Amino acid sequence: MIHPLAVSIVLALTGADATGFDVGDTVIVIRETNLKNDAGKDLTIWPGAQVTLEAIDGDRLEVRNGVVGWLKIKDVVPWKDAIDVLTERIKASPGNASLLRGRGLVWCEIKGYYEGAIDDFDAAIRLDPSAASFAGRARSWRGLKKYDNALIDHDEAIRLDPNNATYFDGRGTTWYSIFQYENKAYFESDRSIELDKAIADFGEAIRLDSANSSYYKHRAEVWTSKGEHCNAIDDYSEAIRRDPTND
């Protein structure tokens, strides 16, 4: 018979837990829920959101998604199971735009199946033309390097919800992607405008949500591309200060 203490030691050493999750796992949110931080502030998290597991405490998981907070175990599944779980939930509730959008996010961000993601976002937009669905479809267009379409959807998401930092971060990422992939259809005479637009969008994201370390990291990458290394160091340092665990 294995002594319970021995089991506890093994779990502690491996990071494994009876929940089936391990610290460091990527898990996917499968229903609308609230991310609760230690300060008691709630942040709404939608189906399809990708978070990293930081700690396990009973039926709660400490996760990181730009910010750190707590979710219930019942609200997430391992990334490899997310498509199947969300598909079953969509079958049970075919008019639920949030679930379609969530599956679209998984197709886009986890599987890299951008065409399938766009199909789901199209369906979600027909049901509910929300800012989140336009923003998700913009990411998928970016994955296909269809930057004109991506910028149109980013602009619509921001028009619908101008106070959402993630939408400015998304558009900034697209501007930076245009620069990185050297798409000469844009601004042939002055490529730096792409970087300036990216910095402006990341700056607005930081203004709206200064706690999110990812926005500083994203802006730091653009500063580096501009050769403005002092600004880059400042932003990298701030990203580390706000979340030392964010790679």
Side-chain angles (χ1 to χ4, degrees):
M1 180 177 177
I2 300 175
H3 195 281
L5 178 58
V7 174
S8 298
I9 292 171
V10 170
L11 292 175
L13 291 174
T14 63
D17 185 86
T19 62
F21 294 111
D22 292 330
V23 171
D25 282 354
T26 295
V27 296
I28 306 298
V29 176
I30 58 169
R31 59 175 58 86
E32 180 182 348
T33 187
N34 288 325
L35 181 72
K36 299 179 182 292
N37 64 22
D38 290 334
K41 183 178 179 181
D42 288 356
L43 174 67
T44 301
I45 300 290
W46 299 93
Q50 178 184 165
V51 296
T52 302
L53 180 56
E54 298 286 309
I56 302 168
D57 180 18
D59 67 344
R60 301 192 311 153
L61 302 175
E62 186 181 41
V63 299
R64 172 167 46 83
N65 180 11
V67 295
V68 177
W70 293 88
L71 295 175
K72 294 287 189 181
I73 287 176
K74 65 181 178 63
D75 294 329
V76 302
V77 295
W79 66 266
K80 66 183 186 299
D81 299 330
I83 290 293
D84 290 341
V85 171
L86 288 168
T87 297
E88 288 304 310
R89 299 200 71 211
I90 289 167
K91 289 178 180 177
S93 183
N96 190 318
S98 177
L99 293 174
L100 284 162
R101 183 172 63 244
R103 188 174 66 179
L105 287 172
V106 178
W107 283 130
C108 175
E109 298 184 354
I110 301 294
K111 301 292 188 178
Y113 178 36
Y114 302 116
E115 294 86 351
I118 288 169
D119 287 344
D120 275 344
F121 290 126
D122 285 346
I125 288 168
R126 285 194 294 271
L127 290 166
D128 175 23
S130 68
S133 292
F134 283 104
R137 192 170 66 178
R139 297 184 198 179
S140 302
W141 289 127
R142 182 171 70 228
L144 292 171
K145 299 183 178 61
K146 295 187 176 181
Y147 298 119
D148 283 325
N149 291 348
L151 289 170
I152 289 169
D153 277 350
H154 283 308
D155 289 348
E156 182 63 10
I158 290 169
R159 185 188 72 81
L160 291 168
D161 187 359
N163 295 314
N164 190 310
T166 62
Y167 301 154
F168 285 95
D169 180 67
R171 190 172 66 180
T173 299
T174 293
W175 283 118
Y176 190 43
S177 294
I178 293 169
F179 172 83
Q180 287 179 304
Y181 287 109
E182 298 182 355
N183 190 327
K184 295 296 185 179
Y186 298 82
F187 311 114
E188 290 183 356
S189 62
D190 185 4
R191 299 286 313 293
S192 67
I193 194 170
E194 300 154 7
L195 298 180
D196 292 339
K197 285 180 176 289
I199 284 172
D201 276 340
F202 292 138
E204 184 64 10
I206 290 168
R207 186 188 72 80
L208 291 167
D209 181 10
S210 61
N212 193 312
S213 64
S214 296
Y215 303 155
Y216 296 95
K217 179 183 176 182
H218 295 165
R219 191 171 65 177
E221 291 168 353
V222 184
W223 286 128
T224 300
S225 293
K226 283 177 68 71
E228 299 190 23
H229 301 297
C230 289
N231 286 333
I233 290 170
D234 287 345
D235 273 349
Y236 278 128
S237 298
E238 187 64 17
I240 293 168
R241 186 184 74 80
R242 291 181 179 277
D243 184 1
T245 66
N246 190 341
D247 297 332

